Amino acid sequence: MNNKTQTKFLSFTAAAMMIGVSACSEKSSFELETYTVTPTSLSEIVTATGTMESVTSVDVGTQVTGIISNLLVDFNDEVTKGQLIAEIDKTVLQSELQSADATLASAKATYEYAKANFERDKALHNEKLISDYEFQTSQKDYEVARMAYEKAQADRVRAAKNLTYAEITSPIDGIVVSREVEVGQTVVSSMSVASLYVIADLDNMQVVGNVDEADIGQVKVGQNVTFTVDAYPDDTFSGSVSQVRISPTTTNNVVTYEVIVSTTNPDHKLIPGMTANLSIYTLQLEDAIAVPLKALKFEPMPAEKDSKLPEPKPLDRQAENSVWVLRNNQLVETAVTLGMKNSVYQQITDGLQVGDKVALQYHEIQSGKGDDAQKAQENPFMPKPPGSKKK
């Protein structure tokens, strides 16, 4: 290296050292971020999907075998409890009732005749005018006739009742959501009742929601719920949790639990089978005194580090929970009682009031103003960005 080159290098080095000394001489200062306590709404939501169902849904069937002779209601018809909705041909049922009437009349006549004979033979037997055998025979005939008469009475009651079953009425107030038969179709009564209609009460609906196992611990009976359905994307419906079922369902290694949400349906917009998107409010507080969660973790900085910082004033005794409140340019440690919280705020039930300024964190700021501070830290020997002007 020649003398000229060496001299130039030393000049560059001296300039760089001066820039470094200037940069190191810059001092950092701090400012305190605070939060002003105001009445706050706190909420926490668990989301889920579910299926709309009617709270009351009845399969209307028949208890007798026969041919459908008349259907008086159809899909979507509103019905009231006791309303006639279908009829089964009564020809066979009426003949069975007539046969039962005839059998009953015959059994009654036989019973009355056997009873009269028994009472006469009993008197004769008491006078020892007939043998024991004759009396016992008369007594047996009377008992057989009595039981046959009672059976005929029961058969007649059943035949009359079966005839009434030919007229099918609605068991509830509701809407016909399904019709399973046609006129002329034969329905057969067996161990399982033949279904004719499905009638649902659409005034009171419920959503069977599937809540993830990670969230189920937060869901409780009575919590408010809002939900939407795809059929009415601009409408928001409301309800409440009426049941949390503890039986799990596992699908593709994902465990969910059924949560029942009850809701009213005066406009009958909600119908069974719709998919509902649920928002379950596991936390819902209005006008609560609350602070950001980081206020509980704040640690004051000694005022010596920056003369502009407020002086910390700790509590005389240890508190289970506390925050630092800015009062008269002092950070005063204040004991607080905690309530509920969500992912952002912590409710304070005691210790703070509206208007208090609670410390959250410090922000470091560099001294120097605007472009002058930036220029002081720039190295003139560093390459300039493309397009910049060299001075």
Side-chain angles (χ1 to χ4, degrees), residues 69-90:
S69 61
N70 198 10
L71 293 174
L72 303 176
V73 296
D74 205 346
F75 288 94
N76 302 334
D77 286 346
E78 293 189 14
V79 295
T80 58
K81 184 177 180 179
Q83 178 182 338
L84 183 65
I85 57 177
E87 291 180 300
I88 295 176
D89 184 73
K90 300 179 181 178

Side-chain angles (χ1 to χ4, degrees), residues 205-324:
M205 301 290 288
Q206 65 184 18
V207 184
V208 181
N210 297 307
V211 176
D212 189 87
E213 62 174 324
D215 299 323
I216 195 64
Q218 304 175 53
V219 180
K220 308 295 180 185
V221 172
Q223 290 173 342
N224 292 329
V225 181
T226 59
F227 62 93
T228 60
V229 294
D230 292 341
Y232 306 101
D234 297 328
D235 293 343
T236 300
F237 303 90
S238 61
S240 62
V241 177
S242 60
Q243 188 180 52
V244 179
R245 296 177 177 173
I246 60 176
S247 177
T249 300
T250 304
T251 305
N252 296 329
N253 294 325
V254 177
V255 179
T256 58
Y257 292 84
E258 288 187 347
V259 172
I260 307 302
V261 176
S262 299
T263 184
T264 56
N265 187 29
D267 299 330
H268 293 177
K269 287 184 175 181
L270 303 173
I271 57 178
M274 284 183 169
T275 299
N277 301 304
L278 301 170
S279 295
I280 304 171
Y281 288 83
T282 57
L283 171 63
Q284 197 170 19
L285 294 174
E286 299 295 334
D287 297 329
I289 300 298
V291 296
L293 293 177
K294 57 185 176 182
L296 298 169
K297 300 178 180 179
F298 175 81
E299 291 291 341
M301 184 183 295
E304 296 78 33
K305 287 193 175 182
D306 191 329
S307 59
K308 296 180 181 180
L309 292 178
E311 182 74 26
K313 183 180 179 182
L315 285 168
D316 296 334
R317 55 183 177 80
Q318 185 72 22
E320 183 177 357
N321 296 287
S322 65
V323 296
W324 293 85

Side-chain angles (χ1 to χ4, degrees), residues 127-153:
E127 296 294 331
K128 299 189 183 300
L129 298 176
I130 60 175
S131 65
D132 292 342
Y133 174 77
E134 289 176 309
F135 172 69
Q136 291 171 355
T137 300
S138 177
Q139 185 179 28
K140 181 204 71 172
D141 292 342
Y142 165 69
E143 293 293 337
V144 170
R146 182 180 61 81
M147 289 185 288
Y149 178 47
E150 291 175 352
K151 180 179 182 302
Q153 287 177 311

Side-chain angles (χ1 to χ4, degrees), residues 4-39:
K4 185 177 181 180
T5 303
Q6 184 176 8
T7 303
K8 186 177 182 180
F9 175 76
L10 292 173
S11 299
F12 285 0
T13 303
M17 288 178 64
M18 290 178 64
I19 295 297
V21 170
S22 176
C24 292
S25 65
E26 298 293 341
K27 294 182 179 180
S28 296
S29 61
F30 298 88
E31 63 179 5
L32 179 65
E33 179 186 351
T34 62
Y35 171 80
T36 302
V37 176
T38 57

